[in-house]
Amino acid sequence: MLDVGKWPIFALHSQEELKLIRQACVFGSAGNEALYATENDEVFGLGTNCSGCLGIGDTQSSTEPQRLGILCGKKIACLSYGSGPHVVAVTTEGEVYTWGHNAYSQLGNGTTNQSLVPCQISTNLLNKKVIEVACGSHHSMVLTSDGEVYTWGYNNSGQVGSGSTANQPIPRRVTSCLQNKIAINIACGQMCSVAVIENGEVYVWGYNGNGQLGLGNSANQPTPCRIAALQGIHVRRIGHRVIYWKLDIFLTNSVRDQHLECWVACGYAHTLVLTEKGMLYAWGANSYGQLGTGNRSNQSYPAPVTVDKDRCEHFRSVLNNNNDDIIEISEFSYPVFRAFLEYLYTDSISLPPEDAVGLLDLATFYRENHLKKLCQQTIKQGISEENAIALLSAAVKYEAKELEEFCFRFCINHLTVVTQTPGFAEMDHDLLKNFISKASRVGAFKN
């Protein structure tokens, strides 16, 4: 099960409905739109839909999931959202469907007309099996099973790699120096594109105003160009692993202490790669510290990201507490995972009090006493008469003595209201018995 319950867009879904969600893509300026596929291969859209990217045939908002009949029954392998906005979906059979805005031909259907429903794109892809998709703001890119890269859409900076700056209305293979090479991984920035070749070389093209191509300059590149600074450094397709630093976090179905395979990814105007030897390199825009280089200066060459070795060892030792342990994402929410990984690298946490109980659970499991203390401090900030009993129960369950005493004192000070809450009525029998006994000892029931 994919845990999407913490996203507000799914707040009206029942637990039974949430358990059926196999894959989800949440987008929009406030995360107020979503597309998702269920275990039985039904596809739905819901949310504000002002962009028409829900693919339901209109631009009407809906708090109720709307079925995308065209895609139902097809196994969705991957979805990508471009901030243009538009959406590209790929099925396990390798079919490509697009919908949304299309002013720059980012849908690849040969027109500039908006499409409010998914339409299959077959031009130049008819006998190809697409296995991966990436979207820039107004351009799209796919990777086929035989290692070919196809692009279409907006091309003002050469982001489709055709050698010109003319928009490309249909998918065309990116050739030039990729002609006889097999690509294994692709990524898109806002107006740039990246491909990783099977021998580990990285090729880039498109907009380069922030140095996001890693070529050592800020000139746009209309055709693929190999990053010479990564010569001899092998970058490969990402595996099911986790890496975290600064503002970027990447999570997949499970976390296991194994060797990190390698990958490439693009942000809005920066690029990140992880090598087969576990080295991190970053380049491009850095005004928010997104490169993790210790400063906020843009970087036009790939720069190694130095990770604190002690912190890495701490990360490894915690996750390797038991070689058989796997942290399943279905057991914990995304904010909990993010906060856990942030703590492993920074010794601090930043998350809402309501999410800190889940983090307290993880901290207890891995015997991270310092993290438990931080969780207790955070949870205290969110206590109320309505949740005091629930927090007291959690404190007892996870042996958080400091939090337990705090919650108990809070309950005593607000005893009349707390005893009238549903939480008190549903209190565990043994906990209730101990609570009454302890409350009596401190004189809570005296007139």
Side-chain angles (χ1 to χ4, degrees):
M1 183 187 78
L2 181 68
D3 182 12
V4 296
K6 290 295 183 179
W7 286 100
I9 189 70
F10 293 105
L12 298 180
H13 283 58
S14 68
Q15 285 300 313
E16 289 70 25
E17 290 172 322
L18 292 176
K19 289 179 181 178
L20 291 175
I21 296 177
R22 172 176 59 83
Q23 187 174 29
C25 178
V26 178
F27 52 94
S29 59
N32 51 8
E33 297 180 74
L35 291 160
Y36 66 90
T38 65
E39 293 289 349
N40 57 356
D41 295 319
E42 295 284 290
V43 183
F44 297 91
L46 77 157
T48 57
N49 199 31
C50 57
S51 63
C53 280
L54 294 188
I56 58 178
D58 56 42
T59 56
Q60 298 299 310
S61 300
S62 177
T63 56
E64 292 290 329
Q66 301 295 310
R67 188 171 180 269
L68 279 70
I70 296 174
L71 295 181
C72 289
K74 297 181 180 294
K75 296 181 183 294
I76 301 299
C78 51
L79 283 164
S80 185
Y81 170 79
S83 59
H86 71 290
V87 178
V88 182
V90 175
T91 70
T92 56
E93 295 297 317
E95 299 172 336
V96 178
Y97 291 82
T98 66
W99 62 97
H101 283 200
N102 194 31
Y104 299 98
S105 299
Q106 58 263 48
L107 299 188
N109 59 15
T111 76
T112 55
N113 300 324
Q114 182 180 19
S115 178
L116 298 178
V117 295
C119 294
Q120 185 176 356
I121 306 303
S122 58
T123 304
N124 294 331
L125 297 176
L126 191 58
N127 297 314
K128 298 293 181 179
K129 180 179 181 180
V130 172
I131 60 173
E132 189 174 346
V133 59
C135 290
S137 59
H138 298 86
H139 76 288
S140 308
M141 177 163 60
V142 296
L143 174 66
T144 67
S145 58
D146 53 2
E148 295 179 350
V149 177
Y150 289 79
T151 58
W152 62 90
Y154 198 32
N155 193 35
N156 67 325
S157 301
Q159 55 264 51
V160 304
S162 63
S164 75
T165 55
N167 295 346
Q168 193 155 282
I170 58 174
R172 292 190 184 280
R173 186 182 174 192
V174 181
T175 54
S176 184
C177 53
L178 293 186
Q179 177 70 53
N180 299 312
K181 299 183 185 299
I182 297 175
I184 59 172
N185 198 195
I186 58 173
C188 284
Q190 182 202 21
M191 294 190 296
C192 69
S193 305
V194 185
V196 180
I197 308 306
E198 63 177 348
N199 65 0
E201 294 178 344
V202 180
Y203 286 79
V204 293
W205 60 96
Y207 183 69
N208 195 30
N210 300 107
Q212 56 263 59
L213 299 188
L215 300 175
N217 57 53
S218 57
N220 296 346
Q221 178 65 37
T223 57
C225 181
R226 183 175 61 83
I227 299 181
L230 292 176
Q231 178 68 35
I233 298 173
H234 295 280
V235 177
R236 287 193 238 163
R237 179 182 174 86
I238 187 171
H240 295 296
R241 307 292 184 263
V242 171
I243 189 69
Y244 163 84
W245 73 96
K246 211 66 177 173
L247 300 179
D248 297 280
I249 190 166
F250 303 89
L251 294 172
T252 52
N253 290 332
S254 63
V255 180
R256 189 193 294 269
D257 185 32
Q258 296 180 0
H259 179 66
L260 289 170
E261 292 187 17
C262 308
W263 96 158
V264 59
C266 292
Y268 182 83
H270 71 289
T271 309
L272 311 163
V273 297
L274 181 64
T275 74
E276 65 179 2
K277 294 184 178 180
M279 285 293 296
L280 302 174
Y281 289 85
W283 60 91
N286 195 30
S287 55
Y288 297 98
Q290 56 265 52
L291 300 186
T293 53
N295 58 56
R296 296 191 178 188
S297 300
N298 291 355
Q299 180 71 37
S300 62
Y301 281 110
V305 180
T306 303
V307 180
D308 187 294
K309 291 185 179 180
D310 291 337
R311 182 56 57 189
C312 286
E313 287 302 318
H314 176 60
F315 180 89
R316 184 178 294 109
S317 64
V318 168
L319 290 183
N320 201 33
N321 181 44
N322 183 329
N323 287 332
D324 295 327
D325 290 334
I326 298 177
I327 305 174
E328 293 293 342
I329 282 185
S330 60
E331 297 177 12
F332 300 97
S333 69
Y334 172 81
V336 168
F337 267 101
R338 182 184 181 93
F340 180 61
L341 293 174
E342 180 178 6
Y343 165 76
L344 290 177
Y345 280 100
T346 68
D347 273 331
S348 63
I349 62 172
S350 176
L351 80 171
E354 59 267 23
D355 292 316
V357 173
L359 188 57
L360 179 63
D361 185 358
L362 268 177
T364 302
F365 182 80
Y366 283 109
R367 295 188 287 275
E368 278 292 308
N369 293 328
H370 180 59
L371 178 56
K372 285 187 68 172
K373 184 175 181 178
L374 295 177
C375 290
Q376 292 177 75
Q377 294 171 354
T378 300
I379 292 170
K380 288 178 185 179
Q381 299 171 14
I383 195 169
S384 67
E385 294 159 342
E386 289 72 25
N387 67 14
I389 293 298
L391 296 183
L392 176 63
S393 300
V396 172
K397 179 180 180 180
Y398 301 124
E399 300 180 350
K401 298 298 182 182
E402 179 184 334
L403 179 61
E404 179 183 347
E405 184 61 26
F406 177 85
C407 292
F408 175 75
R409 290 295 175 185
F410 183 93
C411 290
I412 295 301
N413 293 335
H414 302 81
L415 191 60
T416 301
V417 178
V418 168
T419 55
Q420 295 175 357
T421 63
F424 188 85
E426 299 168 2
M427 203 171 181
D428 176 78
H429 176 74
D430 290 336
L431 182 60
L432 177 61
K433 181 178 178 180
N434 290 336
F435 177 82
I436 293 175
S437 176
K438 187 175 180 180
S440 298
R441 291 198 298 271
V442 299
F445 303 119
K446 292 181 180 180
N447 292 327

